[in-house]
Amino acid sequence: MDENTKKMLAGQPYCPDTKELNQFSKYAHRLCRDYLLTTDEDTVERTAIIDRLFPNHQEGVYLQGPFFVDYGRFTTLGKNFYANANLTILDTCPVKIGDNVMCGPNVTIATATHPLRYQQRNPRQQADGRFTDYEYGKAITIGNNCWLGASVTICPGVTIGDGCVIGAGAVVTKDMPANSLVLGVPAKAVRQITADDHMDNFPY
């Protein structure tokens, strides 16, 4: 791993247009495409793709597809991870997802970000003549037993505690305490999830 990639993972300004990062991203994007060409019946092929794309995953991972990831190798998936259609993970910084996490359709988990001032954000010419920008990121952690509803966005630097439910359409911009019901834009923890939320007519 070169120094630029180490800077990226540490949340420091880095150049995304390097030989190593281009190799990593092209490899991941090809695997995303390959997964898209499979169906639920292609279990052997899908398992092989997940193993290559997410080398840091536990057993029981299910991805409905389609999905998109920047790199995959910088994301850790816990046991029994489930994602419905159109999952997006931008793992320019580490993404750590705990056990028994469920994602509804169109969930975005994005560690990547950019400076607010365009003077720092815009591409600039490098010593070799290429034009490229500098970016940075902030790691994301999602605890065990969380449910992210449809079209949830997890923004850079966020930590979500165990047992949270993130309501559909929420944009999470700050840390959320464990066992919170999280709603809105920007998202807020509106209350704790307690034994009072137990459904008596549910199988267990």
Side-chain angles (χ1 to χ4, degrees):
M1 189 179 299
D2 68 23
E3 290 302 315
N4 183 71
T5 302
K6 292 177 182 178
K7 287 182 178 180
M8 179 186 79
L9 294 172
Q12 300 173 5
Y14 75 98
C15 176
D17 186 18
T18 63
K19 181 179 180 180
E20 181 171 77
L21 289 180
N22 283 333
Q23 288 176 342
F24 288 168
S25 64
K26 289 177 182 178
Y27 179 75
H29 299 167
R30 284 195 301 270
L31 291 174
C32 292
R33 177 205 60 192
D34 293 346
Y35 198 91
L36 176 61
L37 299 177
T38 67
T39 64
D40 287 341
E41 292 81 11
D42 300 322
T43 55
V44 173
E45 293 85 350
R46 284 191 164 194
T47 298
I49 293 170
I50 289 172
D51 288 344
R52 294 166 63 193
L53 184 57
F54 298 104
N56 302 307
H57 77 82
Q58 301 297 317
E59 67 269 17
V61 171
Y62 179 81
L63 304 173
Q64 179 64 55
F67 62 86
F68 176 86
V69 298
D70 259 348
Y71 302 106
R73 67 185 65 212
F74 305 129
T75 294
T76 300
L77 302 177
K79 297 177 182 177
N80 304 318
F81 176 73
Y82 170 86
N84 210 311
N86 298 319
L87 172 71
T88 298
I89 301 177
L90 307 183
D91 54 346
T92 57
C93 274
V95 173
K96 297 181 180 179
I97 300 175
D99 298 339
N100 304 309
V101 171
M102 300 171 58
C103 295
N106 303 307
V107 165
T108 297
I109 300 169
T111 69
T113 189
H114 305 270
L116 294 179
R117 300 189 74 239
Y118 72 85
Q119 294 91 340
Q120 295 179 297
R121 186 175 62 244
N122 289 352
R124 74 289 307 271
Q125 191 169 20
Q126 306 301 315
D128 61 4
R130 295 177 303 133
F131 279 84
T132 186
D133 65 339
Y134 278 82
E135 303 174 4
Y136 71 108
K138 298 178 182 180
I140 289 174
T141 299
I142 300 172
N144 299 321
N145 304 308
C146 292
W147 171 24
L148 281 59
S151 299
V152 163
T153 299
I154 309 298
C155 292
V158 165
T159 294
I160 296 174
D162 294 345
C164 285
V165 174
I166 314 298
V171 178
V172 186
T173 61
K174 62 181 181 180
D175 295 352
M176 293 296 158
N179 301 307
S180 294
L181 176 62
V182 179
L183 305 172
V185 180
K188 296 180 180 179
V190 298
R191 67 174 177 87
Q192 285 283 287
I193 299 169
T194 70
D196 292 338
D197 292 300
H198 183 79
M199 299 173 62
D200 293 333
N201 62 342
F202 216 67
Y204 53 87

Coordinates of all heavy atoms in Angstrom, one line a residue, residues 146 159-166 174-182 188-193:
C146 N -28.6 -3.2 13.6 CA -29.2 -1.9 13.1 C -30.0 -2.2 11.9 O -29.7 -3.1 11.1 CB -28.1 -0.9 12.8 SG -27.2 -0.3 14.3
T159 N -20.9 7.6 13.5 CA -20.9 6.3 14.3 C -22.4 6.1 14.7 O -22.9 7.0 15.4 CB -20.0 6.3 15.5 OG1 -18.6 6.3 15.0 CG2 -20.2 5.0 16.3
I160 N -22.9 4.9 14.4 CA -24.3 4.6 14.8 C -24.2 3.4 15.8 O -23.6 2.4 15.5 CB -25.1 4.1 13.6 CG1 -25.3 5.3 12.6 CG2 -26.5 3.6 14.0 CD1 -25.9 5.0 11.3
G161 N -24.8 3.7 17.0 CA -24.7 2.7 18.0 C -25.5 1.4 17.7 O -26.4 1.4 16.8
D162 N -25.3 0.4 18.5 CA -26.0 -0.9 18.4 C -27.5 -0.7 18.5 O -28.0 0.2 19.2 CB -25.6 -1.9 19.4 CG -24.1 -2.3 19.3 OD1 -23.5 -2.1 18.3 OD2 -23.6 -2.9 20.3
G163 N -28.2 -1.5 17.7 CA -29.7 -1.5 17.9 C -30.5 -0.4 17.4 O -31.7 -0.2 17.7
C164 N -29.9 0.5 16.6 CA -30.6 1.7 16.0 C -31.5 1.3 14.8 O -31.2 0.4 14.1 CB -29.6 2.8 15.6 SG -28.9 3.7 17.0
V165 N -32.6 2.0 14.7 CA -33.4 2.0 13.5 C -33.4 3.4 12.9 O -33.8 4.3 13.5 CB -34.9 1.6 13.8 CG1 -35.7 1.7 12.6 CG2 -34.9 0.1 14.4
I166 N -32.9 3.4 11.6 CA -32.8 4.7 10.9 C -34.0 4.7 9.9 O -34.1 3.9 9.0 CB -31.5 4.8 10.2 CG1 -30.3 4.4 11.1 CG2 -31.3 6.3 9.7 CD1 -30.1 5.2 12.3
K174 N -24.5 13.1 12.2 CA -23.8 13.0 13.4 C -24.0 11.7 14.1 O -24.9 10.9 13.7 CB -24.3 14.2 14.3 CG -25.7 14.1 14.7 CD -26.1 15.3 15.6 CE -27.6 15.2 16.0 NZ -27.9 16.4 16.9
D175 N -23.2 11.4 15.1 CA -23.3 10.1 15.8 C -24.7 9.9 16.5 O -25.3 10.9 16.9 CB -22.2 10.0 16.9 CG -20.8 10.0 16.3 OD1 -20.7 10.0 15.1 OD2 -19.9 10.1 17.1
M176 N -25.1 8.7 16.5 CA -26.4 8.3 17.1 C -26.2 7.3 18.2 O -25.5 6.3 18.0 CB -27.3 7.7 16.1 CG -27.8 8.7 15.0 SD -28.7 10.1 15.7 CE -28.5 11.4 14.5
P177 N -26.8 7.5 19.4 CA -26.6 6.6 20.5 C -27.3 5.3 20.3 O -28.2 5.2 19.5 CB -27.2 7.3 21.7 CG -28.2 8.3 21.1 CD -27.6 8.7 19.8
A178 N -26.9 4.2 21.0 CA -27.4 2.9 20.8 C -28.9 2.9 21.1 O -29.5 3.7 21.9 CB -26.7 1.9 21.7
N179 N -29.6 2.0 20.3 CA -31.0 1.7 20.5 C -31.9 2.9 20.3 O -32.9 3.1 21.0 CB -31.3 1.1 21.9 CG -30.5 -0.1 22.2 OD1 -30.6 -1.1 21.4 ND2 -29.7 -0.2 23.2
S180 N -31.5 3.8 19.3 CA -32.3 5.0 19.0 C -33.1 4.8 17.8 O -32.7 4.1 16.8 CB -31.3 6.2 18.8 OG -30.6 6.5 19.9
L181 N -34.3 5.4 17.8 CA -35.1 5.5 16.6 C -34.7 6.9 16.0 O -34.9 7.9 16.7 CB -36.6 5.5 16.9 CG -37.6 5.8 15.7 CD1 -37.4 4.7 14.7 CD2 -39.0 5.8 16.2
V182 N -34.2 6.8 14.8 CA -33.6 8.0 14.2 C -34.4 8.4 12.9 O -34.6 7.6 12.0 CB -32.1 7.7 13.8 CG1 -31.5 8.9 13.1 CG2 -31.3 7.3 15.0
K188 N -32.3 13.0 13.5 CA -32.3 13.2 15.0 C -32.7 11.9 15.7 O -33.6 11.2 15.1 CB -33.1 14.3 15.4 CG -32.7 15.7 14.9 CD -33.6 16.8 15.4 CE -33.1 18.1 14.9 NZ -34.0 19.2 15.3
A189 N -32.2 11.6 16.8 CA -32.6 10.5 17.6 C -33.9 10.9 18.3 O -33.8 11.7 19.3 CB -31.6 10.0 18.6
V190 N -35.0 10.5 17.9 CA -36.3 11.0 18.5 C -36.7 10.3 19.8 O -37.4 10.9 20.6 CB -37.4 10.9 17.4 CG1 -37.1 11.7 16.2 CG2 -37.7 9.4 17.0
R191 N -36.2 9.0 20.0 CA -36.5 8.3 21.2 C -35.7 7.1 21.3 O -35.1 6.6 20.3 CB -38.0 8.1 21.4 CG -38.6 7.0 20.4 CD -40.0 6.7 20.8 NE -40.7 5.8 19.8 CZ -40.7 4.5 19.9 NH1 -40.0 3.9 20.9 NH2 -41.3 3.7 19.1
Q192 N -35.7 6.4 22.4 CA -35.1 5.1 22.6 C -36.1 4.0 22.2 O -37.3 4.2 22.3 CB -34.7 4.9 24.0 CG -33.4 5.7 24.4 CD -32.2 5.0 23.9 OE1 -31.7 4.0 24.4 NE2 -31.6 5.6 22.9
I193 N -35.5 2.9 21.7 CA -36.3 1.7 21.4 C -36.3 0.8 22.6 O -35.2 0.5 23.1 CB -35.8 1.0 20.2 CG1 -35.8 1.9 18.9 CG2 -36.5 -0.3 19.9 CD1 -35.1 1.4 17.7

